[in-house]
Amino acid sequence: MSLRDLPKLELHLHLEGAAPPTFIRGLAKEKSIDISGVFREDGSYAFRDFVHFLSVYEAATSVLKTPEDYARLVTAVLEESAAQGVIYAETFVSPDFCGGSDVGAWREYLLAMQEAAARAEARDGIILRGIVTCIRHFGPEKARASALCAAETVGDFITGFGIAGDEGRGALRDFTWSFDLAREAGLRLTAHAGEWGGPQSVRDALDVLRVERIGHGVRAIEDLALVDRLAEDGVVLEVCPGSNVMLGLYPRWDRHPIQRLRERGVKVTVSTDDPPFFHTTMTREYEELARAFGWGAEDFLEISRNALDAAFCDGDTRDKIAEKLKDHPQ
Ligand code: HPA
Ligand code: ZN
């Protein structure tokens, strides 16, 4: 069994965070923008810790200035995802970076991204959906503008709403207006929690924002009553083990709680978060999980089924993906 060839679903992927460094460098050169501080000498992204990562991320993103740039980004990202065996992906997209939350501009960015995704689907079969994401450290006011953009464009492509950014800033309750609006517009909800925040942040995401999935959520392991609640309620975690290890949340892969969460009944999925930043790919995640916990084809199929059940897509799309999973000889 080649882990690269296994069909994979990825639910937690930041679009700009998936940009290959060569792509960002190329665009910076084309536009004569100096972002030299963004890279190390070996060409990889340079950052010291999570908060520094967020600022490097935003600096790298500053070269993406037009809908056409975003179309090229979607093409580059999906090409790489398809090469890793990904058949379905959901990506976080932020109006803050795409037209500054102006609904008219946002529509243009979205159209360009959707067209690029349709071309990738026609070429490689990979299906992409978008989750509009507000950015916690940009504050609740900007989040409201993002939620309005999301509500205006909910449809075949935009199917979800979420929150990313610095978990250490502000409180989730400051974002309830945005999440209520998104829910009423028919968007599915997820929130980053339980990565830098402890178990209480996961409870807040569930009780205050009323999300159905949690981005990361791994620190729920520090509170077994919460773990049991996640298991009983079928809350799906978008776990990004390589990101957690890279950012120092856990010292080694075999100390990551993904297996303990799973053993206690929590539905986990596997994603890369910001793959080139964290020197990972979906194949590498699978390889490390196989090495650390002895996971094999059956385990990965269970992970894919969890992701399929929790995917923010319509029934027809889900059926199509299910067929692809079934067709593949494990
Ligand atoms: N975590 C939180 N916010 C982010 C990330 C991430 O990995 N990438 C971009 N924004
Ligand atoms: Zn993330």
Side-chain angles (χ1 to χ4, degrees):
M1 176 188 63
S2 150
L3 290 178
R4 178 182 285 267
D5 292 342
L6 273 191
K8 304 174 184 73
L9 287 80
E10 176 160 40
L11 302 183
H12 191 115
L13 180 69
H14 298 264
L15 183 58
E16 299 88 358
T22 48
F23 177 88
I24 294 295
R25 248 195 319 277
L27 220 49
K29 199 161 170 218
E30 268 177 39
K31 295 167 190 271
S32 304
I33 301 171
D34 178 15
I35 51 160
S36 43
V38 162
F39 300 108
R40 293 185 210 285
E41 260 176 33
D42 67 3
S44 63
Y45 290 113
F47 55 92
R48 289 182 301 275
D49 53 28
F50 177 64
V51 172
H52 188 220
F53 155 78
L54 290 174
S55 73
V56 170
Y57 183 106
E58 282 157 29
T61 299
S62 72
V63 307
L64 294 155
K65 292 200 177 293
T66 67
E68 173 59 21
D69 294 340
Y70 267 86
R72 287 165 67 184
L73 175 60
V74 166
T75 301
V77 168
L78 291 185
E79 212 170 84
E80 173 61 15
S81 291
Q84 301 296 331
V86 176
I87 57 172
Y88 175 81
E90 290 177 8
T91 189
F92 298 121
V93 283
S94 303
D96 298 284
F97 299 137
C98 301
S101 298
D102 171 78
V103 178
W106 166 244
R107 281 188 193 283
E108 288 176 30
Y109 277 83
L110 209 49
L111 188 62
M113 288 190 261
Q114 209 170 343
E115 284 173 356
R119 285 193 295 274
E121 186 174 338
R123 191 184 54 230
D124 294 325
I126 185 167
I127 297 171
L128 182 71
R129 296 291 180 261
I131 299 172
V132 173
T133 305
C134 62
I135 298 169
R136 188 157 167 172
H137 55 274
F138 289 0
E141 191 69 37
K142 288 220 160 77
R144 283 195 276 274
S146 290
L148 286 165
C149 284
E152 284 287 326
T153 52
V154 56
D156 290 343
F157 181 65
I158 293 298
T159 56
F161 185 74
I163 182 166
D166 187 352
E167 266 184 65
R169 297 264 289 275
L172 285 180
R173 69 174 172 279
D174 298 337
F175 298 89
T176 46
W177 188 93
S178 299
F179 277 74
D180 288 347
L181 179 82
R183 186 184 310 101
E184 280 158 26
L187 289 149
R188 314 274 300 270
L189 304 178
T190 178
H192 279 65
E195 181 191 16
W196 303 104
Q200 187 57 40
S201 70
V202 177
R203 291 185 192 280
D204 286 348
L206 295 171
D207 296 334
V208 178
L209 299 183
R210 296 165 54 204
V211 302
E212 59 179 287
R213 292 190 335 217
I214 303 283
H216 296 284
V218 286
R219 289 191 55 199
I221 199 70
E222 296 164 25
D223 176 346
L224 292 181
L226 175 60
V227 174
D228 291 343
R229 173 182 173 186
L230 298 178
E232 273 158 34
D233 294 351
V235 176
V236 170
L237 302 187
E238 306 155 7
V239 182
C240 307
S243 161
N244 296 157
V245 171
M246 174 75 193
L247 288 171
L249 212 55
Y250 303 103
R252 296 196 319 251
W253 277 81
D254 60 4
R255 301 275 289 277
H256 193 281
I258 189 167
Q259 176 67 357
R260 276 176 286 147
L261 287 162
R262 201 176 156 225
E263 280 166 2
R264 221 173 154 100
V266 178
K267 289 196 168 152
V268 301
T269 60
V270 172
S271 296
T272 57
D273 216 4
D274 306 273
F277 281 88
F278 303 142
H279 303 279
T280 191
T281 62
M282 279 298 279
T283 306
R284 169 145 196 264
E285 297 289 318
Y286 275 37
E287 285 167 353
E288 295 288 357
L289 290 164
R291 211 179 343 259
F293 303 114
W295 287 14
E298 280 302 314
D299 302 280
F300 291 119
L301 188 60
E302 181 192 302
I303 296 297
S304 293
R305 290 208 182 107
N306 288 346
L308 184 61
D309 290 346
F312 291 170
C313 65
D314 61 33
D316 286 350
T317 308
R318 205 181 311 280
D319 292 346
K320 207 151 89 180
I321 304 161
E323 281 302 313
K324 288 191 192 183
L325 274 184
K326 212 163 59 193
D327 284 351
H328 193 274
Q330 295 290 326

